[in-house]
Amino acid sequence: LYRVLCYKPTLELVRCIYEAYPEALMEKNPYHKTPLHRACHFRASAEVIEYLISKDTQALRVQPNPLFLAMHPETSLRVIELLTKAYPEALTLPSDGIYTPLDYALIERLPPGVLQTLLKYY
């Protein structure tokens, strides 16, 4: 599952892997600690992100924060909303020791919709 998430898999494929090998959701590496982190980093669909959150809510609390990894101009607004709604405390946690996801969104000049969504849960 961890490797597959680099290639923006469909929700059906992620479900299929999880059903065949549920332990795949718990696999970690030193850089992007959980499959949710990997999915956020590689801009997975909102459906995949939502599924991974539902299967492992603790992944939201593992640093670097998945919300921080999702702060890309190409990330869908729905992904940002899913992550902030599931773990709003992430907005105030510095993920790189200096900047919070909200800071990063401002620095990167992400679209106003992203900022509005983040501020809604701040």
Side-chain angles (χ1 to χ4, degrees):
L1 177 61
Y2 202 78
R3 189 172 308 153
V4 168
L5 289 167
C6 294
Y7 304 103
K8 297 183 184 181
T10 63
L11 176 58
E12 292 76 25
L13 179 57
V14 172
R15 275 190 186 141
C16 204
I17 292 170
Y18 177 74
E19 288 170 11
Y21 182 60
E23 295 84 12
L25 210 56
M26 302 306 155
E27 291 177 353
K28 298 179 181 180
N29 86 2
Y31 303 106
H32 303 289
K33 304 209 184 261
T34 69
L36 178 61
H37 287 75
R38 187 75 155 200
C40 290
H41 183 78
F42 286 96
R43 300 172 189 98
S45 71
E47 293 78 21
V48 168
I49 299 290
E50 186 172 34
Y51 181 78
L52 293 173
I53 290 171
S54 75
K55 295 298 179 189
D56 184 14
T57 57
Q58 291 303 310
L60 292 161
R61 290 160 177 76
V62 175
Q63 292 296 323
N65 188 278
L67 179 59
F68 184 81
L69 296 173
M71 289 290 133
H72 302 288
E74 301 86 24
T75 301
S76 81
L77 189 54
R78 183 155 179 255
V79 166
I80 301 297
E81 184 154 23
L82 285 168
L83 293 166
T84 53
K85 186 177 181 181
Y87 187 50
E89 296 87 352
L91 291 167
T92 60
L93 298 174
S95 294
D96 60 358
I98 301 171
Y99 299 111
T100 65
L102 185 56
D103 293 328
Y104 193 73
L106 289 166
I107 290 167
E108 291 297 314
R109 298 180 184 188
L110 295 182
V114 171
L115 297 172
Q116 288 172 336
T117 299
L118 295 174
L119 290 171
K120 175 180 171 183
Y121 293 98
Y122 185 71

